[in-house]
Amino acid sequence: MNWLKSKHLETRMQQRALTSHQIEVTLAYGHEYGNAYVLTDADIDEALHSRRQEIKDLERLKRKTFTVICKGSNAITAYRNTNAKRLGQL
């Protein structure tokens, strides 16, 4: 999400020792209630679970060059590509 910091937000972040990354995480993983985003412990647990799975998937793909062929926004096929390293040191 693209967001701009107001002067008020910058002041509050300084007063409350909040970082831009913490704001980004709240906007990404929190629940929207009207014009507010609320990040609960349950939201954090869900995000952590998702990230752990993502790390496991990345570990499985490590040292196995993987290719996905797309046409526009459609993924057409996927495969392990043993020739990709020869195609330009991807």
Side-chain angles (χ1 to χ4, degrees), residues 65 67 79-90:
T65 304
T67 300
Y79 56 92
R80 287 193 180 122
N81 189 347
T82 56
N83 296 320
K85 290 181 181 162
R86 284 189 273 146
L87 295 175
Q89 299 297 326
L90 298 175

Side-chain angles (χ1 to χ4, degrees), residues 2 7-8 10 14 20 31 33 35 38 50 60 68 70-71 73 76 78 84 90:
N2 292 330
K7 293 282 185 190
H8 180 78
E10 288 179 0
Q14 286 178 335
S20 291
H31 282 87
Y33 294 98
N35 64 350
V38 178
S50 175
R60 285 187 57 220
V68 177
C70 297
K71 184 174 184 179
S73 60
I76 306 299
L90 298 175

